[in-house]
Amino acid sequence: MSMTLTDPTLLRADLHIDGQWLAPAGRPRFAVTDPATGAVVADVVKGNADDARAAIAAADAALPAWRARPAKERSQILRRWHDLIMANLEDLAQLLTAEQGKPIAEARGEIAYGAAFYDWFADEARRIYGDVIPSYAADRRLFAIRQPIGVCAAITPWNFPMAMIPRKAAPALAAGCTMVLKPASATPLSALALAELGARAGLPAGVFNVVPGGAAEVGDVLATHPTVRKLTFTGSTEVGRTLMARASATIKKVSLELGGNAPVIVFDDADLDAAIAGTIATKFRNMGQTCVCANRIYVQAGIHDRFVAALAAAVAAMKVGNGVDDGVNQGPLIDMAAVEKCEAHVSDALAKGARIVTGGARHALGGSYFAPTVLADATEDMLIAAEETFGPVAPVFKFATEAEAVERANATEYGLAAYFFTTDAARIWRVGEALEYGIIGINTGATSYEGAPFGGWKESGIGREGGRTGIEEFLETKYLCMAGIAPLA
Ligand code: SIN
C-alpha cells in the first residue's frame, strides 16, 4: 500500500458491531483494491447474515437510550463527529482516493460535503417540532408529536462513500434512530473510518454499526428483518426495485436514491463559457460516475457547433491519471465493467450515426482508465440516450425549439437531475417548471448542498435526503388525543 496515513488507526478492516471491532476466527476476507494501480489497499472481513442479525440486535438494544438522550446531546455528538472528520480530512482523502479512484481534490471536497451533513443535522436534531391541533370538542386537547422510527438500515454506494453515508446516518441519528450500514464492497474503508471517528465523537455502542459483505447475505437481512423499521438505499433503480419488494413484506418505510438519465439543455441565448463549465462539472465529476451526471446534452442549433468545439477542447485538455498525482482531474473508473459499459455505449452510438469529437476509447494508461469523450450527432435510438453511462462520455444532441427540448428531456422513466443554460428570465421559469426532475441546475452543473433536498421523481426514487425534509424520513408521527378535560368550574 503506497498511502501513508498520519493516523494509521483510521484504516479499519473489521466489522463494527456494538462498539466492537470484530474479526471472527476463520472468517473470509475480501480485497479492497486501488482502481489506479490494482494494488490491494486492505483485506476486509466479509460479514455474513449472522453478523447482520447481530448488528440489528445491537442497534435495537442501543435504541431506547439513544432516543431518550436530549436532542441537545445527540446534536453535540454529531457536531464532534463533523469536527473529527474535518480534522482528519487529509487521511480520509487518501483513503477515499485509494479505494475509489477519484482525484484527491475531489476526495477532499467530498469529505467536507459529507461532514457538512453532520453539522446540518446536528442543528436539525433540536428542531423536531410537533403540532398542537385545534380541538373538535370542548373537553379534548389534540397533539401530534414526532418520534424516531426505530432501527434503520442503510445500503450505500461506492461512488461517494464519504458523503452518502453521512447523508443517511446524520439525519437518522439526529432523529434518535440507530443504524446498521452495509457499505459497497468496493469502498468499505471510508465507512469503517467514519465509524471509528463516530466512536471517538462519543457515539454509544450499537448506535452506528457497519457490516461490509455481500448483497445476498447482509443486504437481504437488512431489507427483510422485522426489527428494521426503515431502509435507506442509494444505488441503481434495478437494485432499488428489488430492495423495495423485499422490504414490503414487513412494510418498512423506504427511501431510495436511484439512477438518473440527466439532460443538460443549452439554449442559443446561453452564456457559452458558463454552459461549458457547467456541463464539464456535471458530466465529468468523479469521471462521470454520479447519479446526477449529465447523460444527454441537448444543444440548440444556433450555438451547437461552437458548443461542441469548445466542449471538445476542454475535454481533450483534461489530465488523466492516478488521482493522487498533481493536476489529475480524471482518475480510473471503478472497475473493468464500467469501462466495458462506456465502450458499449460508444460503439452502439457510432453504429447509429454518432461521431467522435474527442476520446472514444480506453485510455493509453490501460487498466480501468477511459479517455474523456465527446460524441456529436447523438440520437434517441442510441443506448446512450436511454441508459445511464456512468462514465466520462458526453453525447451531444441537436434541437430546434424550447418545447422540443423539454419534451425530449422528459422522455425517460428517470427524474433525478436536469440542467439548463439560458439568460432568458421567462424561460428559466417555464423550463424550470416543465422539467420532471427532483433537482434542477439553472446555469450551473453543481447543485449539491447539505441544506437542500436531494432526490428524484419517477423511477429515480422515493424520499428526499438533506435539507429540512431529510430528517422527516426517519420520524414517525404520533397523534395524541386527550379527553375528559373539564371546563373551569
Ligand atoms: C450521487 O450521485 O450519488 C450523489 C451526488 C451528490 O450528492 O452530489
Side-chain angles (χ1 to χ4, degrees):
M1 184 188 67
S2 58
M3 93 192 146
T4 313
L5 302 181
T6 307
D7 178 356
T9 63
L10 288 176
L11 179 59
R12 292 283 182 177
D14 297 341
L15 311 173
H16 187 64
I17 299 176
D18 204 14
Q20 307 291 312
W21 292 102
L22 302 175
R27 181 63 61 79
R29 289 180 175 263
F30 63 95
V32 177
T33 54
D34 181 342
T37 61
V40 174
V41 184
D43 287 306
V44 173
V45 175
K46 190 166 191 287
N48 61 23
D50 286 339
D51 298 321
R53 284 188 275 269
I56 291 168
D60 196 33
L63 181 64
W66 180 246
R67 72 181 162 207
R69 292 278 282 261
K72 193 167 179 177
E73 286 182 24
R74 291 200 301 270
S75 171
Q76 285 162 344
I77 293 174
L78 290 180
R79 184 146 289 110
R80 275 202 296 276
W81 203 352
H82 161 272
D83 294 347
L84 285 168
I85 292 170
M86 294 308 287
N88 289 279
L89 188 143
E90 204 48 49
D91 276 354
L92 297 176
Q94 295 290 334
L95 267 177
L96 176 53
T97 292
E99 68 174 345
Q100 203 276 341
K102 69 181 60 184
I104 194 84
E106 283 194 34
R108 292 185 185 113
E110 178 185 336
I111 289 156
Y113 171 46
F117 288 100
Y118 293 113
D119 184 51
W120 175 271
F121 285 107
D123 289 337
E124 291 300 283
R126 295 179 296 165
R127 300 203 180 106
I128 303 171
Y129 300 116
D131 295 319
V132 179
I133 301 161
S135 185
Y136 61 90
D139 75 326
R140 294 190 170 215
R141 300 294 180 272
L142 318 179
F143 309 92
I145 60 171
R146 284 144 81 235
Q147 295 182 294
I149 191 165
V151 173
C152 300
I155 302 180
T156 51
W158 50 262
N159 59 345
F160 288 91
M162 288 283 188
M164 298 302 97
I165 293 167
R167 196 156 77 185
K168 297 175 188 312
L173 273 49
C177 299
T178 55
M179 179 168 268
V180 179
L181 164 71
K182 187 196 101 55
S185 295
T187 57
L189 304 180
S190 296
L192 296 168
L194 288 173
E196 168 65 26
L197 292 174
R200 290 184 200 174
L203 283 180
V207 169
F208 182 67
N209 308 275
V210 184
V211 185
E217 305 86 27
V218 178
D220 198 58
V221 172
L222 299 187
T224 55
H225 199 290
T227 301
V228 173
R229 293 312 326 146
K230 159 92 195 186
L231 175 67
T232 169
F233 167 71
T234 295
S236 70
T237 295
E238 196 190 348
V239 175
R241 199 175 275 123
T242 304
L243 287 171
M244 192 172 171
R246 298 291 291 151
S248 68
T250 44
I251 316 289
K252 293 188 203 321
K253 187 166 174 171
V254 291
S255 295
L256 304 171
E257 301 294 350
L258 307 179
N261 181 1
V264 172
I265 307 173
V266 181
F267 291 99
D268 282 346
D269 60 26
D271 173 326
L272 182 62
D273 291 342
I276 295 295
T279 303
I280 299 264
T282 168
K283 177 67 250 185
F284 291 95
R285 173 175 169 227
N286 198 19
M287 294 77 73
Q289 301 171 115
T290 84
C291 306
V292 290
C293 256
N295 207 52
R296 298 167 288 151
I297 302 165
Y298 292 100
V299 185
Q300 203 163 12
I303 197 173
H304 177 273
D305 293 355
R306 281 184 295 135
F307 178 90
V308 170
L311 182 66
V315 170
M318 286 178 160
K319 185 167 174 193
V320 181
N322 187 330
V324 293
D325 291 339
D326 278 349
V328 165
N329 47 32
Q330 291 292 292
L333 300 189
I334 190 72
D335 56 23
M336 291 314 291
V339 173
E340 282 153 20
K341 188 165 192 193
C342 290
E343 274 183 332
H345 279 192
V346 170
S347 67
D348 171 79
L350 295 182
K352 292 173 180 159
R355 84 189 135 88
I356 294 172
V357 192
T358 187
R362 295 182 188 209
H363 193 272
L365 286 172
S368 63
Y369 289 97
F370 196 84
T373 296
V374 176
L375 301 177
D377 303 336
T379 50
E380 264 79 7
D381 57 335
M382 298 172 181
L383 273 182
I384 206 161
E387 290 179 9
E388 204 175 16
T389 306
F390 234 63
V393 182
V396 180
F397 304 70
K398 198 188 275 190
F399 73 92
T401 67
E402 180 182 303
E404 177 201 340
V406 169
E407 190 187 332
R408 290 170 71 182
N410 282 341
T412 167
E413 67 272 29
Y414 297 105
L416 184 55
Y419 308 85
F420 65 96
F421 293 83
T422 178
T423 49
D424 177 334
R427 174 175 274 162
I428 285 176
W429 280 105
R430 267 194 315 273
V431 175
E433 288 169 359
L435 288 171
E436 296 163 353
Y437 290 83
I439 302 163
I440 311 281
I442 303 163
N443 294 322
T444 177
T447 56
S448 298
Y449 165 55
E450 66 276 8
F454 186 104
W457 288 22
K458 302 199 266 184
E459 294 186 26
S460 285
I462 294 175
R464 292 294 178 273
E465 294 186 327
R468 189 163 56 82
T469 43
I471 203 160
E472 304 289 341
E473 306 285 339
F474 298 93
L475 293 168
E476 279 285 22
T477 298
K478 183 180 284 171
Y479 165 47
L480 304 175
C481 176
M482 197 186 298
I485 301 169
L488 275 178

